[in-house]
Amino acid sequence: MGTYKEIVIADKAPAAIGPYSAGVKAGGFVFTAGQLGIDPENGEFVPGGVEAQTRKALENLTAVLEAAGTSLAKVVKTTVFLNDMNDFGAMNGVYGQFFTENFPARSA
């Protein structure tokens, strides 16, 4: 029997810092771990607040998806965690630059 799951290694996204994988391919799907606004070069949050961190998190997600052979265009569901719901508008503005049509379902 073939491999049930394949671990996705994304060189352009932050490495996992615990016992988890950034992405896993299984059964025709790609499952991703949450991505933060962390610069994979230095492991630190990018400066510039929620907009810069949202942009970096979505760039990191894009890198994981591309390493798995897919893209944001095929995402069906996202979950966004915010420290402060007052940041929703700023996050949503950047989010809308990455997801421009055929939007995935989303929880925030």
Side-chain angles (χ1 to χ4, degrees):
M1 192 156 36
T3 303
Y4 174 73
K5 67 181 182 180
E6 177 184 338
I7 303 304
V8 176
I9 305 297
D11 295 333
K12 296 179 181 176
I17 56 172
Y20 67 93
S21 298
V24 176
K25 292 172 66 171
F29 293 95
V30 176
F31 300 89
T32 63
Q35 293 297 314
L36 300 172
I38 293 177
D39 184 337
E41 296 288 320
N42 61 23
E44 297 180 9
F45 281 98
V46 295
V50 69
E51 289 176 332
Q53 290 181 10
T54 298
R55 181 171 312 285
K56 182 48 77 178
L58 290 169
E59 289 171 354
N60 292 339
L61 175 61
T62 299
V64 173
L65 293 172
E66 287 176 353
T70 191
S71 70
L72 288 177
K74 295 183 179 179
V75 170
V76 298
K77 172 72 169 80
T78 64
T79 302
V80 176
F81 294 98
L82 295 166
N83 281 335
D84 185 343
M85 280 303 288
N86 291 317
D87 290 333
F88 181 85
M91 175 281 299
N92 199 50
V94 175
Y95 183 97
Q97 295 170 16
F98 285 80
F99 294 101
T100 58
E101 61 184 358
N102 299 318
F103 305 114
R106 179 179 74 185
S107 300

